[in-house]
Amino acid sequence: MTDTDQGADPIVVAGGGIGGLCAALALQQQGHEVVLLERASEISEVGAGLQLSPNACSVLAGFGLLDALEPYAHAPGNLRIWSGRSGRQIARVELGDFIRQRHKNPFWVIHRADLQRVLLERAQSTPGITIRLSSDVKDLTATPYDQLSCIFREGDRTESLTCKALIGADGVWSKTRQHVPGHKNARFSGQVAYRATVPIDQVDPKFARDTGLWLHRDCHLVHYPIRGGRELNIVVLAKEDWGDETWSAEADKEAVVRVFKDWPAETRNLLNTPKQWLKWALCSVDASGPWSHGNLVLMGDAAHAMLPFMAQGAAMAIEDAAILAKHLPKDVENIPAALRAFERERKPRAARIQGISFGNARTFHFSGPMAFARDSVLRLTKPRKLAERFDHIYGWTPDQ
Ligand SMILES: Cc1cc2nc3c(=O)[nH]c(=O)nc-3n(C[C@H](O)[C@H](O)[C@H](O)COP(=O)(O)OP(=O)(O)OC[C@H]3O[C@@H](n4cnc5c(N)ncnc54)[C@H](O)[C@@H]3O)c2cc1C
């Protein structure tokens, strides 16, 4: 094993997803040396879109990245909620300029690969951040001097790196979480997400501008334009067992079409368009479990993976990054206390939004009288009032 000498002890971030990259940027802004270890040989994200709400954009604005992201983003004017049974529109939630003016930041939809590339390019060009790919974090041990030694495999070598803090941003199947006593494990929800993207000119123009949410018994469909409006992202969420050993896999197109066999023709046509579908098992990590232990802290999906029924998982990871850095100024003396303070500040919000996501998982899939009651309330509420119901999520900024 070789010991990597970095001079002054850095902060190590394990995982180069959206959360880890944002943590690296935010911690560097505080003046720390940061080493980011990412298991994959390249940082890339396959076929999926992301709703980037104003709370997440407020952090990205702090990195000065909104201009770099804008060409890849699309700002839907509305979220349109449709009945997957009748094909009729149930309600409209006003987004676009209304949300931008209300929360001083945009509500964007974007391809995850575009967001991740912009974050990566900024991190790579920032002095003080070192990114090491093909670096798989294997173990952590405490040193006698209140530091941590992070053991990782880089290619066929095992190395160790001494750090003053380790940020576990290694996702829902986090290895670093095993080092937090009493941690909660990830749980499969019994639901899966099918995801695909298609060129926008191949779909009904009705789907090309706004975000669409189609509700039906035990499943729902979401679509929105990405890549600056050139592609449509399509996500189907449905109850299903998961028999595969991996947690994402290529999906059988026929299986997707089967889920929607009694849906309106326009949705069946839409779902027939993609050539390839990918499938994800939807898992969560109970946010109320412990996130920190000594100089180690979890963030993002490692700490509180949530079901995507409020589209806030990545947004929470981005918010975590900003608040983590706030608790870790350059001259921080007591790192474990700072990490506990971060956990105390973030946990109630992450747990609340995780709870809303679980709640939506039920209400989105209602049938019979419950669906009728849900739709009646939605129908009677004005588009701006529906948007205002999310002020407590979208109105968040790091300086509150
Ligand atoms: C269908 C679906 C739709 C979604 N839609 C939205 C949305 O619209 N808006 C939104 O905000 N969120 C959404 N989410 C949630 C969002 O994708 C996640 O919450 C977010 O990606 C979590 O980011 P993260 O950085 O914490 O973890 P990840 O993105 O999982 O990143 C973890 C990284 O750690 C690396 N890693 C793992 N183990 C190790 C190791 N041992 N050593 C080194 N590196 C390691 C991995 O390779 C990976 O790069 C959605 C999720 C799903 C499934």
Side-chain angles (χ1 to χ4, degrees), residues 4-322:
T4 309
D5 182 15
Q6 293 281 328
D9 290 332
I11 293 181
V12 167
V13 177
I18 290 163
L21 285 165
C22 286
L25 292 171
L27 291 166
Q28 188 280 337
Q29 280 185 338
Q30 290 285 51
H32 297 285
E33 283 288 317
V34 181
V35 178
L36 185 148
L37 303 175
E38 166 56 47
R39 175 167 65 184
S41 57
E42 58 176 325
I43 294 188
S44 62
E45 180 66 53
V46 283
L50 205 61
Q51 306 191 48
L52 213 46
S53 47
N55 46 319
C57 286
S58 72
V59 176
L60 299 170
F63 298 146
L65 286 176
L66 291 192
D67 287 348
L69 288 166
E70 189 153 23
Y72 308 105
H74 172 79
N78 302 282
L79 161 64
R80 292 183 188 275
I81 306 175
W82 309 82
S83 163
R85 205 168 49 82
S86 68
R88 281 200 291 272
Q89 183 173 306
I90 303 168
R92 181 168 70 82
V93 184
E94 193 164 337
L95 302 176
D97 290 343
F98 174 68
I99 287 283
R100 188 169 199 143
Q101 276 157 21
R102 193 168 180 79
H103 300 304
K104 314 283 177 275
N105 276 295
F107 190 119
W108 278 342
V109 285
I110 193 164
H111 197 293
R112 298 159 66 94
D114 292 332
L115 172 60
Q116 218 155 346
R117 192 182 57 256
V118 168
L119 290 170
L120 177 65
E121 283 170 5
R122 173 57 65 86
Q124 280 172 327
S125 63
T126 301
I129 300 180
T130 305
I131 295 183
R132 297 181 65 166
L133 299 175
S134 304
S135 296
D136 191 354
V137 174
K138 294 289 189 191
D139 203 3
L140 303 175
T141 53
T143 74
Y145 307 105
D146 293 335
Q147 301 145 316
L148 280 174
S149 179
C150 171
I151 295 141
F152 61 101
R153 291 281 295 172
E154 190 167 13
D156 54 7
R157 285 193 322 271
T158 299
E159 296 197 35
S160 83
L161 188 55
T162 303
C163 56
K164 56 187 175 190
L166 189 129
I167 315 304
D170 47 347
V172 64
W173 300 110
S174 170
K175 266 225 174 73
T176 57
R177 192 169 56 226
Q178 309 306 317
H179 295 270
V180 178
H183 69 269
K184 308 269 188 175
N185 283 322
R187 283 182 36 204
F188 174 51
S189 65
Q191 310 211 40
V192 297
Y194 291 93
R195 305 205 262 190
T197 57
V198 286
I200 209 96
D201 54 12
Q202 290 183 13
V203 303
D204 187 332
K206 170 179 174 181
F207 300 140
R209 304 277 336 137
D210 288 339
T211 296
L213 167 64
W214 297 73
L215 304 177
H216 206 338
R217 187 185 53 240
D218 290 341
C219 59
H220 74 277
L221 160 67
V222 181
H223 52 77
Y224 47 82
I226 51 172
R227 300 242 130 119
R230 294 187 305 282
E231 291 181 18
L232 191 76
N233 181 66
I234 311 171
V235 189
V236 169
L237 295 103
K239 283 189 176 161
E240 201 175 300
D241 285 337
W242 187 266
D244 207 300
E245 282 184 6
T246 60
W247 292 92
S248 71
E250 205 163 309
D252 169 19
K253 181 172 174 172
E254 297 310 313
V256 183
V257 173
R258 246 192 331 270
V259 173
F260 287 84
K261 60 182 186 314
D262 60 343
W263 282 52
E266 55 193 341
T267 49
R268 282 185 280 121
N269 291 342
L270 178 66
L271 297 166
N272 260 314
T273 314
K275 290 196 174 54
Q276 191 203 27
W277 284 89
L278 295 172
K279 182 167 140 180
W280 266 259
L282 298 182
C283 300
S284 63
V285 174
D286 185 346
S288 69
W291 300 6
S292 68
H293 180 59
N295 295 35
L296 162 67
V297 73
L298 307 173
M299 62 169 289
D301 274 13
H304 49 65
M306 50 189 75
L307 302 183
F309 291 76
M310 194 56 230
Q312 281 294 309
M316 287 303 111
I318 294 170
E319 287 187 9
D320 282 351

